[in-house]
Amino acid sequence: MNKCNIVKKNWEFQKILDTKKQVISKNLIIYFNKSDFFRVGISIPKQFANAVQRNHYKNQIRSILRNIDISKINYDTVIIARKGFFELDFNQKIKEINKLYERITDGK
C-alpha cells in the first residue's frame, strides 16, 4: 500500500459514502465503490478515542491492509471503526478485515 492507494480528501470520502454500498459487521463498516484500482480511507470517530489512540488504530488497520493481496480488490473503500473494534486483539482484527474484504470481492 502506497500513497496512491489512500483516500484523503473530504470530497473523495463523500463520493464513496454517497454510493451507500456497504458491508457491516459488529465492529466495522466498510463503504465501497467500484474503481480501477484499490484505494482506502480510514475513519475512527472522535467520540471513541483520543488523537493518540485514533492514530494507533489507524496504523493497525494500515498494517493489516499491507498484508492483504489488494491486486484483486478494485474498489475505493472507506473503513469506519465501531466501538467493539477497540476491544478486539490484533489477530481478531485481521480476521474481521479479511472477512469483510472477501465479502466485497465475492459480491455479497
Side-chain angles (χ1 to χ4, degrees):
M1 202 168 90
N2 53 19
K3 261 187 186 176
C4 66
N5 295 99
I6 298 173
V7 176
K8 286 188 179 180
K9 301 289 183 185
N10 185 39
W11 63 269
E12 293 174 319
F13 272 88
Q14 288 304 317
K15 187 177 175 185
I16 297 167
L17 294 175
D18 288 342
T19 62
K20 295 190 169 78
K21 293 181 188 172
Q22 61 188 357
V23 289
I24 300 174
S25 75
K26 185 178 176 184
N27 305 311
L28 288 171
I29 302 171
I30 299 181
Y31 287 89
F32 61 95
N33 189 15
K34 192 70 174 159
S35 177
D36 295 332
F37 56 95
F38 177 75
R39 293 188 328 150
V40 66
I42 302 168
S43 176
I44 310 289
K46 248 185 179 177
Q47 64 196 24
F48 297 148
N50 64 27
V52 174
Q53 292 169 327
R54 287 196 308 270
N55 284 328
H56 173 72
Y57 294 126
K58 282 183 187 180
N59 285 333
Q60 279 188 335
I61 293 171
R62 283 189 200 106
S63 171
I64 292 167
L65 292 174
R66 279 187 209 103
N67 295 325
I68 293 177
D69 180 24
I70 60 173
S71 62
K72 58 188 173 203
I73 306 172
N74 292 330
Y75 290 93
D76 289 341
T77 60
V78 173
I79 299 174
I80 300 175
R82 289 178 146 180
K83 184 85 173 165
F85 183 75
F86 309 121
E87 281 100 40
L88 299 177
D89 68 20
F90 192 70
N91 289 329
Q92 290 173 318
K93 290 177 184 177
I94 292 171
K95 289 177 189 172
E96 186 86 25
I97 291 174
N98 283 332
K99 189 178 6 170
L100 289 176
Y101 273 109
E102 284 174 14
R103 284 175 55 194
I104 289 172
T105 55
D106 293 344
K108 295 180 181 173

